[in-house]
Amino acid sequence: MSYFNLNLPIYHTTIRSKEDLNKRVDTGEHNVILNSRAKDFSSVSLEVKAFLEYARENKTSNEFTEDLDKEVKPSTETRGSFMTWEEKLAEERYYAGKKERKELIVNAIKNQEKLGNSRQDIINSVADFLSIDKEEVARYYDEEMLVK
């Protein structure tokens, strides 16, 4: 992508009045767009060039980009603990989802039971309504009825 079709490595933007494009609005902001896909970096400092090359190619060429690389790429230990955390979160979501699903099915069974429907009618109705497997509904029906 080449911003503004100029293929520059850096762009400075300003805000202008829509009614009169010659009128600049000074909000105190200073906006800069960096373009790591530019081909020519001769118009920027060596530090900016190094950063843009790092962003584009993951290439370190000075102390700043080396420090940045260390911060961006987690250590093996950090990656391992993150994966453990991610796995625990996924497990919690899985079991929370199962609990919510079970509650949804059991509530639907109870509502159908209040109508006086038979076991098979309840199983068919709940399975069809929730678009789930009849065996799963039957299992929850039997668990719920055994508790009573």
Side-chain angles (χ1 to χ4, degrees):
M1 168 188 263
S2 177
Y3 289 98
F4 313 114
N5 294 320
L6 298 174
N7 201 28
L8 298 173
I10 192 167
Y11 300 91
H12 299 84
T13 64
T14 60
I15 299 174
R16 302 210 179 266
S17 168
K18 186 176 179 180
E19 290 72 25
D20 182 352
L21 295 178
N22 293 319
K23 302 288 184 193
R24 186 171 162 239
V25 179
D26 186 6
T27 62
E29 294 179 27
H30 185 77
N31 298 299
V32 176
I33 299 171
L34 298 174
N35 178 14
S36 67
R37 293 188 178 143
K39 304 293 182 223
D40 180 13
F41 295 106
S42 62
S43 63
V44 296
S45 69
L46 293 176
E47 290 81 10
V48 171
K49 177 184 176 191
F51 174 75
L52 292 172
E53 286 175 341
Y54 178 77
R56 183 180 64 216
E57 301 169 11
N58 212 17
K59 172 183 164 188
T60 60
S61 58
N62 65 9
E63 186 178 342
F64 173 73
T65 56
E66 288 170 3
D67 290 344
L68 181 62
D69 194 57
K70 288 176 189 170
E71 291 296 320
V72 170
K73 291 183 180 171
S75 67
T76 304
E77 181 180 308
T78 305
R79 246 189 329 271
S81 66
F82 177 75
M83 288 304 291
T84 302
W85 175 82
E86 193 174 60
E87 289 166 356
K88 285 180 182 177
L89 182 61
E91 184 177 290
E92 286 176 16
R93 285 181 178 159
Y94 172 78
Y95 286 112
K98 282 187 73 128
K99 183 180 177 188
E100 290 170 1
R101 179 181 176 99
K102 180 179 180 178
E103 288 175 6
L104 177 69
I105 294 168
V106 168
N107 286 336
I109 289 169
K110 288 178 181 178
N111 287 335
Q112 288 292 309
E113 186 182 41
K114 288 178 187 175
L115 298 173
N117 293 332
S118 70
R119 177 184 183 275
Q120 196 57 51
D121 286 344
I122 291 172
I123 291 168
N124 291 340
S125 176
V126 171
D128 290 344
F129 180 72
L130 297 176
S131 300
I132 58 175
D133 192 48
K134 290 179 183 179
E135 286 79 26
E136 182 178 11
V137 178
R139 184 176 68 244
Y140 289 130
Y141 179 93
D142 293 340
E143 286 176 12
E144 184 63 26
M145 293 304 110
L146 288 175
V147 172
K148 287 189 167 188

